[in-house]
Structure formats: structure tokens, C-alpha cells
Amino acid sequence: MSSDSEFLWYIPNQIGTGHRGDTTPAGANSLDILTTHAKALEDHGWKGALLGTGWGRPDTFTLATALTARTTSFEPLIAIRPGYWRPANFASAAATLDDLSGGRVRINIVSGQDNLAAYGDSEGDQAQRYARTKEFMQLVRRLWTEENVTFAGEHFQVTGSTVIPRLQARGDRRHPRFYFGGASAAAERVAATEADVQLFWGEPLDGVRERIERLKALGRDLDRNLPPLEFGLRITTLVRDTTEQAWADAEAKVAEMAKGEGRGWNDHRTWVATGQQRLLDLHARGEVLDDNLYTTPGKFGGGGAGTTWLVGSAADVAASLRKYEALGITHFVLSDTPYLSEIRRQGDQLLPLLRGPA
């Protein structure tokens, strides 16, 4: 793969059962256990990890700060929600952690629906939600790169605002990157003009190709004034020593999930985001798409990155990821459960294939 490609893992930051039918053992969210995961990521070749967010989970930014303090190179991709944070407060917190960690902070902006009333937030329709997100990203970027900022938007205002500490430029990195998801038309318009990295769920190659082309065209049409948008893939990778063993384990996992009738993930029974619906609809096209994209988990409670899985030996999965890379994907956020053993397995078996010659 390209020397520019980066590989991160996932730390779910949740107490309840995960999306793959796995159980969460007692103490799984203790600082000692999560630090073990972060240090294993450092030891097995990973750049860092996405930290999940949502009301009902421990606070993501607090966890990122704790893990950063206990590691030396681990880079947290911190998922946060506009509305839960005010822009200036967030810009200051992120600048502080970035300064203390030597530039290790990455930010994932999440705009999907959540239990807003539980943390005192409210918002209108989808258009308003993404308009607010756009303002949030614009203002935070200005606070990181300018001094004495005055901003009067529809949703946020500041006057004479200077964030301390000032962020240091590190090569061509002026501030933490904004990762962004969302597949609706409103979300894509925000990504095309304000994001640094657009994350896709595990769609087939043709769907990812179509979205990359559309986002590039949107950037041109909307006069994007930032460096070119980059692209990432957030997906489950089920890797075993042989292809046969991988598929046997995948089918056994799904059979266990089917027994629970999807009780481990309930979002698909109420409101479903556009990107999530795209994944759920894939099963109608077949249980396996492309070479080894397994769609059946989405029938039985898989959500988000747990809806579709790349299944196979390390060589099988590496070959599939190289095809995404050929489309323009350079940021990969992978995972499987049990998280710790898979950090080690995939770090030792999969990452060397991705970093070596094709």
C-alpha cells in the first residue's frame, strides 16, 4: 500500500454489549484494561484508535486524555458531537491535549441523532443539524489557526476569542484533522467543504468509488478552500490463519447473533441514518459481495462497522483493502472482537502485508 496510508483500530468506549453479539466483561472499561489496549496498539504497529461516542457511554474526551497520558505514540481519534460541546470550549480542550501530547490528537465529528434531551441539547431537522455542524467545524478551525476571532453565525458566536495554547504547526499539519462521516446529501455537502477526512462504512467497492467521485465533484462545485479531501474506511476485518477457518468463525458468530434476534443493537428498529441504511440494504444484493464482504451480520444486530465484515486469511483481507486503497482510501479504521487479541493478531499478520509490496 501507499506509504501515506494509516491504520487505526477501534476502542468502543461502552459498557453494554457490542454490535457483533460479543459480551462485555466486567471491568472492560477500566483505565488499566483500556491502557492495555492502547499499549498493545503501539506494540503491534497501529497508529492509534477511534474512540466511540454517544450518550450513555463514558466521556470520550476524558478517556482520550487518560490514554494519551499513559502512552507514548498512541493517537486517539476522538469522536465528539456539536451540541454536546460548544466550539470555543472544545477548541481550547483539544488544543491543550494536542499541545501536551506532542500533536497526537485527531477528531471525528459525529452529527447523527442521539439522545439529545438527555444532555440538554435540542435541534431541528437534518438541514439544521448539518448547518450547525458546518458552523462548528468552521469556527473551531478558525480558533485553532487565528487569534482574536469574532464570529457571528446562526448557531454560534464568539467575540475577540483567542485559544490558548496556540497550536504548533507540525510539517503540513496545522491542527488536528477533522474526520467526518455521513452519507446524506446534507452530510456530503459539509464533508466536501469542511472535513479533512471522509470516513465510509464497509460498502462494496462500487459504492465507495461512486461516493469518492461525488464528493470530489462537490468540493469543486462548492469552492472548497482547504487541502484536498482525503478518504477513510471504517470496517470490521475478521482475520484467521486460513480462509476456511475465517468463514467458519464468521458464520458461527452470525449464528450466535441470530439467536439474540438483534437485541444487541436496536437503532435499526427506529431511526436509521442514511449511511447505515445503505449497509442494511446490501444484503438484498447477496450474502457476500466483491470478494469477501460479508453482509449477513446486518440482518442480526450488526450496526455501524459491525454491519458488514471483510472475512478471510490475512492475505485475503489485505488484497481487499488494497482495492479500496486503489480507489483513494488512505485512512483505515479496522476492528474485530475480542478487541485485544485481534489488535495483536491483525497487527502481526495483516499490517505487515499492507505495508509491504503488493
Side-chain angles (χ1 to χ4, degrees):
M1 276 192 167
S2 167
S3 59
D4 295 330
S5 292
E6 296 184 331
F7 303 95
L8 289 87
W9 193 252
Y10 176 63
I11 292 177
N13 185 32
Q14 64 187 33
I15 304 301
T17 299
H19 289 169
R20 299 166 187 83
D22 55 299
T23 57
T24 303
N29 247 59
S30 71
L31 182 55
D32 285 344
I33 289 179
L34 292 175
T35 299
T36 299
H37 287 222
K39 289 185 173 179
L41 289 164
E42 291 183 319
D43 293 342
H44 293 269
W46 302 91
K47 192 76 171 176
L50 170 63
L51 308 181
T53 190
W55 189 253
R57 299 190 192 193
D59 179 68
T60 312
F61 205 92
T62 303
L63 173 60
T65 301
L67 293 181
T68 301
R70 285 195 167 197
T71 54
T72 56
S73 63
F74 170 80
E75 298 191 10
L77 175 52
I78 309 169
I80 65 103
R81 290 178 177 272
Y84 185 95
W85 286 91
R86 300 290 295 179
N89 175 245
F90 171 74
S92 176
T96 300
L97 182 56
D98 198 63
D99 181 66
L100 293 174
S101 68
R104 287 193 268 156
V105 171
R106 301 162 184 245
I107 303 300
N108 181 33
I109 302 291
V110 180
S111 290
Q113 291 190 357
D114 194 14
N115 188 1
L116 302 181
Y119 54 87
D121 191 25
S122 62
E123 60 187 8
D125 59 14
Q126 183 189 70
Q128 183 190 32
R129 185 168 74 251
Y130 281 104
R132 183 174 75 166
T133 295
K134 181 175 182 176
E135 271 193 21
F136 184 94
M137 295 168 75
Q138 289 176 332
L139 179 51
V140 170
R141 196 187 301 271
R142 285 190 61 189
L143 290 166
W144 281 340
T145 58
E146 302 175 22
E147 299 183 18
N148 298 315
V149 174
T150 295
F151 182 95
E154 181 181 354
H155 303 279
F156 303 112
Q157 302 81 36
V158 298
T159 301
S161 185
T162 299
V163 165
I164 301 296
R166 302 305 300 158
L167 285 168
Q168 299 180 37
R170 302 174 187 276
D172 61 358
R173 178 192 185 271
R174 298 181 64 200
H175 56 73
R177 291 183 179 216
F178 280 139
Y179 291 65
F180 189 73
S184 67
E188 288 191 341
R189 290 177 70 85
V190 174
T193 58
E194 308 303 329
D196 297 304
V197 180
Q198 167 74 35
L199 285 175
F200 302 122
W201 295 122
E203 295 189 40
L205 293 163
D206 57 358
V208 171
R209 180 186 297 108
E210 173 200 9
R211 293 196 61 201
I212 288 175
E213 291 173 354
R214 184 166 62 251
L215 283 162
K216 287 181 175 179
L218 269 175
R220 292 189 295 270
D221 293 344
L222 299 174
D223 295 325
R224 177 184 174 90
N225 63 359
L226 298 172
L229 181 63
E230 299 177 19
F231 303 100
L233 182 70
R234 170 74 187 99
I235 193 169
T236 294
T237 44
L238 193 151
V239 174
R240 296 295 185 267
D241 291 341
T242 67
T243 302
E244 294 74 19
Q245 186 60 55
W247 280 106
D249 286 1
E251 290 168 357
K253 277 192 173 189
V254 168
E256 285 300 310
M257 291 166 63
K259 292 177 183 178
E261 298 179 347
R263 285 190 294 268
W265 179 64
N266 296 314
D267 294 355
H268 59 322
R269 297 177 180 175
T270 54
W271 175 85
V272 178
T274 301
Q276 179 64 70
Q277 190 61 57
R278 285 171 66 102
L279 294 187
L280 294 173
D281 291 344
L282 291 175
H283 188 260
R285 293 172 52 182
E287 287 196 274
V288 181
L289 302 177
D290 293 338
D291 297 318
N292 55 343
L293 184 68
Y294 192 29
T295 68
T296 309
K299 287 183 62 179
F300 301 111
T307 312
T308 57
W309 307 348
L310 284 177
V311 178
S313 66
D316 296 334
V317 173
S320 293
L321 292 175
R322 285 181 182 275
K323 292 179 180 179
Y324 285 102
E325 195 257 357
L327 298 179
I329 301 291
T330 54
H331 300 262
F332 294 86
V333 184
L334 312 179
S335 67
D336 193 23
T337 57
Y339 292 105
L340 182 57
S341 61
E342 291 306 311
I343 287 169
R344 295 166 175 157
R345 183 208 303 266
Q346 297 192 33
D348 294 346
Q349 295 183 13
L350 179 61
L351 292 189
L353 298 179
L354 295 173
R355 293 197 171 105

